[in-house]
């Protein structure tokens, strides 16, 4: 299914080399002043060709909004605010036209299943596939998520909730895990989006080295949600971290999700990771990662997302075609040696959608409480 | 929300010390011969008091089915098959009465927020909470999952799909990661449910040691789905591993999920983890973990689930109460020093529900294909 | 699917002659004082055998609650309030045991498709059916709806919303259509639940006459929702009347739904049915039936529901069996000659669930509005 | 919510005077040859300005598809089939640009609540509204439904299911109710889309007369689904007629829905409307309207939809504005005196989406049956 969320929902469409990528945001609260420039800024963070670390594909990735918005009222001095629109509560449709699609690059891949790609599985499922640049399985699909997430972020900002993600690891090069010891204002200072400038330099060197070999490398994106009130998330199946995990695992190339102590915590004792609560709604530690029993406890929500090395190599590889013959694939597309830098805004977008959705659902929950 | 799944759905209810735990399974295919004894066997694997490794709470956990089933036809010699029922396609309601609920154990916890429990968060969300044994946040809730999963397993068996999970790590003691080198028939031979008997012994020793200190310890459950056809799972938001991850992260005490190479894969090169496909729908390796682009590729689906050390300690701890006063909590309940052994059937149950749901959804997808 | 609603949800299970009818209410706001006696009172309005107009089946229809509730705090003088429970926000599971099930009455119907029943269609869909008393297609299933609706009603009462339904027509005997000219306090004064006492007497005579012929008769239930604020319902697919219609059409034997002027309005001019708005949020008329563009306008919501004459006759009828042979069916079950009197609380229950669900969804909608 | 359906889903967006109306069709089976010209033909049936009976607004209503489709393979003689595309199983995004939007027509309505429109209710719900031509409440929104329905129709045709709707009544002028006595091939022969040519002429005269008075008139659209196999629809809440009713009631201006005998059946005896089944899966009558117990029985599915006279009059009317002052509204937009002719394709579209969705869900239901 191509719809994500419950009360705040994104429905997404589009293939890498089709006419456009687009989506519909449903359930956005009405009366919000939406800054369209900020949305474009987020798209620019995801855009190909933004640095030497990313694919050379050239795309303006300029978003056009088709519905759900009205001009903001003119200010006292008679000026309409530039690029500020008001949400009306009705669905926000948008498209991003695909421009630089070298579809002919893919002609010789029409009948070939590239190794570790979605080629074979789409074919097995549907009996047909769009072979051009990965079709629907291309990470260009995440454009829609970034647009919807940028809207969600602006709503969340109104209630004091902020979301930050960064590249925490590339290959074996990892930065400090305790986010409170990082300067998150520096994330955008480096092409790789790691706030530790020394580690960032090492990561970039590694990526360029891997690129020169026609190979790829994976990594970890870390994230933190601050300002989230206690009470978001539902017990049992709608646990807040289950929703976050589901969101992150739906991003291309993601192979794992953890929150709080995550996998490292399995070898700790319960007494080591107990978060002692003290008066005033405070806690002396945050091993829980801001969520207890699936519900936010008012502390920062911390999580990490594992990305595999992307499967598209600039090396010849053996595989089979749709006639079950062994063939050699010689890719000629343009691809990222490491998706991490461009994955950061996508992780933020998915987190923003999850938190806003939980926030709106909770508004219905608490209505009769006190 | 207390409903899980799309076409095959479980709706769950019940608290640890209420009258009963129960659920409704909706969307079970009709005409299936359901063996009720096998369902009880799965519940027994989850039951407290089954070994020295688990809580001493005594519960028969005997399931009563209330709807959706008919007696199977009598066999040729006139006997009705014992405990075999036919599914009718209508919802299967069931309950498990709570018997040994020492609610008075919890009287002095009525106003206290135990550290790293869901006490504070439920209170923050609802303004009220059932303090008896964790209420809805108790792992007794997973009884419903095991019943529904045991039904799903029997349906999947009809189409050749099998699911196995085991304890892969307790604390720092880990067994072989490559499941093909383990003898999965030995999982039930040990109380800790680890198929490597030597590692199992070490794990059990560790658990008993931790228990003697009034402390707890975490671990990892690994799982594999075999016999799954290519084509299950949906692109984009309904990726098969996203559904699996969401399912696992909804289990109490779970802090992380990974599939295929998972977090370890982030430091590998793309060329190292490419799964070369060869004629006949086969692959020379399975780094992908049986899923590519969110859709099963016909290889075994492998995944791992991280469990934290449970928060209920048999040690005094400082915390606050609902009046925001600092207090000491002296737990007197009966608890597991390590949830891993009893978590194994729960992980299997959640995996079974996810795979069956994807199987049924796919039946609609492929209808017009060829 | 056996789940109804979005944020306030009922999942239902149970067959006419199985062990129990039951359900799970999810999403009920926490902290509500729930009067269990009022819920039983609603069930008694639906119960068989309550008057000479209804089936002779004897069922106490006594509901047992299994989860989601806590004892209300003791009052100042130390007494716990009798049968008042507090909702906790967790799912409310409940069952009603089936007592008087004369299953053997149905033995000779095992292989027969009764005319205009769901026998053939269930068999066509599932290849199996529970032939005892209609199985899942029996109107006993509506017990779950009445319980959930009785809970919803108590929540709605807290915000000033009230729901009333009554028998507006039996056969050709119809009472006044303008509800403001009826005394709705008299609904429960008559066995047929029509507030016009003279018409009620005629309706009852008609029903007894039809019953004496072994035949059945249909009718119309009318309903009104008062105290509903403006703003409930969603544009486009979630229109409030669409949700109401869907709810009513899901009740056994319902063949039609209309609101406001309904079918009669098709022959009117737009100028005749325009509802002029005047200052103070008031309107000079209510042809719209309280809903404009799918959203409530603060006026009473009026609707009507058409029930067919039920299909179970006390007459011999020709039909076929599962072997496609022509057979005669001689029903011996106990049935209602007219479902209208017992349908009234069911209509109210469904309306209550729809309105509460819309109310909770709207709480999320308006959060950021002003 | 702006999404309709379960496995086959439409998500819709767009306002009357915004940039575009559009939507996303998710869950369309893959590998289908989709004739884009047939889709445009359906849009043309809905288009304004198609006859003297409809609004003078000029819109090409030309649909652009953005995703989910591939060129059909070239035929033997090397030609690509004109305007035939293959579905790929991925979401089909589409837009229809708004061209002739005289937004300035609406400037003086910016602060006015037109009588019996959605103006006040949108304002009450959202605190803001798009006043231009009804905004989201405009019937232009149904463009998305017609596109999605035209796709669904083509899928259904592959399995032998056909859907026809027609104008059965305008004001008091009604055609024969028994559809088997009408020649449905003549529906498109008249501007009003009534297959009884004499009644059609009378209906058109009535509409022109009403139009000349600046007034509007309502009517009834009837529909029939033929070729539908037995077994579609779900018991209890997902009854097939409940889904159909919900779909129809979501169309602008609809005030009622009935199927089979509908409201007329309430005054009949059970013995009069029993549909006797005879060998071969046949029935001697179809009072049930093709659905029994919520599940299709293989007979034609018959239903009727009541449309009110639209609220936009070409007469001055008294109302209030957002400042709660009494004002006179003098509409200058272009509107239909009777929506029935253009509603026919919309009713067909909604029916097609419901039936296809039920068909796909059923594919999952029956998998294990026999």
């Amino acid at each position: 299914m191509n719809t994500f969320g419950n009360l705040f929902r994104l429905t997404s469409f589009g293939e890498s080399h089709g006419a456009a990528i687009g989506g519909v945001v449903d359930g956005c609260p009405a009366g919000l002043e939406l800054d369209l420039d900020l949305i474009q800024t987020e798209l620019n963070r995801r855009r190909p060709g933004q640095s030497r670390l990313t694919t050379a594909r050239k795309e303006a990735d300029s978003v056009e909004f088709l519905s759900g918005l009205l001009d903001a009222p003119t200010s006292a001095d008679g000026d309409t605010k530039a690029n500020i629109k008001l949400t009306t509560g009705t669905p926000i449709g948008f498209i991003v036209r695909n421009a630089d699609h070298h579809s002919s690059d893919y002609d010789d891949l029409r009948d070939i299943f590239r190794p570790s790609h979605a080629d074979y599985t789409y074919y097995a499922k549907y009996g047909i596939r769009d072979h051009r640049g990965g079709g629907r399985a291309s990470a260009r699909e995440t454009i829609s998520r970034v647009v919807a997430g940028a809207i969600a972020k602006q709503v969340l900002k109104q209630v004091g909730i902020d979301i930050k993600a960064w590249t925490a690891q590339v290959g074996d090069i990892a930065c400090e895990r305790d986010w409170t010891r990082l300067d998150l204002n520096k994330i955008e200072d480096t092409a790789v989006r790691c706030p530790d400038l020394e580690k960032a330099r090492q990561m970039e060197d590694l990526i360029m080295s891997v690129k020169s070999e026609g190979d790829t490398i994976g990594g970890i994106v870390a994230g933190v949600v601050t300002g989230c009130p206690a009470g978001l998330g539902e017990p049992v199946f709608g646990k807040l971290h289950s929703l976050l995990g589901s969101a992150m695992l739906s991003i291309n190339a993601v192979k794992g999700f953890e929150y709080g102590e995550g996998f490292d915590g399995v070898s700790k004792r319960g007494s080591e990771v107990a978060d002692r609560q003290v008066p005033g709604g405070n806690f002396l530690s945050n091993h829980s990662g801001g969520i207890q029993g699936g519900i936010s406890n008012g502390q920062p929500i911390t999580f990490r997302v594992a990305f595999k090395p992307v499967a598209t190599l600039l090396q010849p590889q053996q595989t089979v075609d749709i006639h079950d013959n062994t063939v050699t694939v010689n890719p000629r597309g343009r691809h990222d040696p490491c998706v991490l830098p461009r994955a950061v805004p996508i992780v933020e977008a998915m987190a923003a959608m999850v938190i806003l959705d939980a926030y709106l659902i909770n508004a219905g929950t608490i209505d009769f409480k006190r």
Side-chain angles (χ1 to χ4, degrees), chain A residues 10-24:
Chain A
L10 167 65
T11 298
S12 150
F13 66 85
E15 284 90 28
S16 175
H17 289 63
I21 300 285
V24 185

Side-chain angles (χ1 to χ4, degrees), chain A residues 188-230:
Chain A
E188 293 300 306
D189 292 353
T190 65
V192 76
R193 294 200 166 88
C194 172
D196 178 329
L197 302 187
E198 171 55 24
K199 293 289 183 182
R201 198 189 50 73
Q202 294 175 32
M203 290 173 180
E204 292 175 14
D205 288 350
L206 175 58
I207 293 170
M208 292 311 290
S209 163
V210 165
K211 182 181 182 182
S212 70
E213 296 161 16
D215 215 330
T216 62
I217 187 81
I220 293 174
V221 171
V224 61
V225 182
T226 53
C228 186

Side-chain angles (χ1 to χ4, degrees), chain A residues 21 30 38 85-86 104 148 153 161 175 184 223 226 251 266 269 291 324 338:
Chain A
I21 300 285
L38 285 181
K85 300 285 183 181
L86 287 177
S104 57
K153 273 186 186 179
I161 301 175
C175 76
L184 300 186
T226 53
I251 301 173
V266 305
R269 302 292 159 99
I291 301 173
D324 214 21
C338 178

Side-chain angles (χ1 to χ4, degrees), chain A residues 76-100:
Chain A
D77 54 1
D79 293 342
T80 300
K81 291 174 202 164
N83 259 339
I84 303 287
K85 300 285 183 181
L86 287 177
T87 61
T88 60
T90 60
I92 302 169
F94 62 88
I95 55 173
V96 171
R97 296 271 175 189
N98 292 320
D100 182 27

